[in-house]
Amino acid sequence: MEYFAAMFNDRMEETGEFAVPLDPKIVSPDVFDEILNYVYTNEINFTDENAIPICVAADFFNFEDLIQETENYLISNMKAENVSRCLEMAMRIGMNSLEEECKIFIYRKSLSKVAKRDLIPWLSFEDLITVLEEFKRNSKPEEMFHLSIEWVELDVEERKSKLCELLESIPLESLSIEFLQNVIAKQTLVIEDRECSKSLLEAFPNLSSNDSIYVFGGVNEGVHVLSSVSKFDSLTEESSKNLSFISF
């Protein structure tokens, strides 16, 4: 009860106020009612809807016992629908044990059961690598590629240097030629990066044979970045349009 003790003992600017407004984004009226009931009865009615708001409010008021009870509830009732919100809150207010439980939950579940777009911003590079490795057995490489690109795109300047390492965590050799042509070849972050392009070529040695040479991306006339996978037939000496070679 340190928050109220400080308020009533002249340690806060609100001490002399007749009424103290609370930010409804932090403590809603319904949540305050639950916390007030907890103060008097030491009991609280947790639900999937109010557990996270109660935890945020308990942190605001510095109710350590209530924070612990809320954490126990969230860990026991964690599911794909709320794990991303639990992780975001845990990282924001410093609940380390809840953060770890969220990550363990994420690692053990398939990507299709986790709200990926909500989750991605809160993953560190190391966490994402762990997720990719864990999901390699359960997920399609196409889905892993999309997840990696989305993570990088959230902060391109800071994260683009990690893209090649992310690609190395994906079984690229399992990707279809159609996916290469229709998705990867149109992904500027990949085709503009020499190391990423090299990783793709190494993953598909069968694309370079005595008969044909395939080229990922490239630069046309030194100006325009190409978003294509081009083919050169060494037998007929015919090439696809806009053929451009990548040098390493």
Side-chain angles (χ1 to χ4, degrees), residues 35 140 169 199:
I35 290 179
K140 295 180 180 179
S169 298
S199 295

Side-chain angles (χ1 to χ4, degrees), residues 143-246:
E143 197 167 5
M144 297 169 71
F145 176 83
H146 286 304
L147 179 63
S148 299
I149 293 296
E150 289 173 11
W151 182 83
V152 172
E153 288 179 336
L154 285 166
D155 191 348
V156 174
E157 290 306 312
E158 288 292 325
R159 297 178 174 183
K160 64 181 178 182
S161 62
K162 302 290 187 182
L163 181 56
C164 190
E165 193 170 345
L166 290 174
L167 292 183
E168 291 174 356
S169 298
I170 301 172
L172 297 173
E173 66 280 358
S174 300
L175 295 170
S176 67
I177 297 299
E178 290 74 21
F179 188 80
L180 286 171
Q181 293 173 325
N182 299 328
V183 178
I184 294 181
K186 297 178 181 179
Q187 180 48 250
T188 306
L189 284 171
V190 175
I191 63 176
E192 285 186 340
D193 188 291
R194 180 170 298 188
E195 290 302 314
C196 289
S197 298
K198 187 175 181 180
S199 295
L200 287 170
L201 289 172
E202 291 174 350
F204 293 90
N206 58 311
L207 292 185
S208 181
S209 66
N210 293 330
D211 297 334
S212 302
I213 299 173
Y214 287 77
V215 180
F216 299 91
V219 179
N220 185 15
E221 299 177 355
V223 178
H224 302 292
V225 175
L226 300 176
S227 58
S228 63
V229 176
S230 303
K231 175 183 177 182
F232 175 76
D233 192 318
S234 61
L235 297 179
T236 63
E237 297 187 353
E238 294 180 350
S239 64
S240 59
K241 293 181 180 180
N242 300 321
L243 183 66
S244 177
F245 293 93
I246 302 174

Side-chain angles (χ1 to χ4, degrees), residues 83-92 99 103 106 115-125 127-128 151 154 159:
V83 65
S84 61
R85 291 186 295 121
C86 285
L87 179 59
E88 182 273 331
M89 179 197 67
M91 296 180 70
R92 177 158 48 87
E99 178 183 340
K103 290 177 179 178
I106 292 163
K116 296 181 297 239
R117 294 185 182 278
D118 292 335
L119 172 70
I120 292 170
W122 306 104
L123 290 181
S124 67
F125 172 71
D127 291 332
L128 184 57
W151 182 83
L154 285 166
R159 297 178 174 183

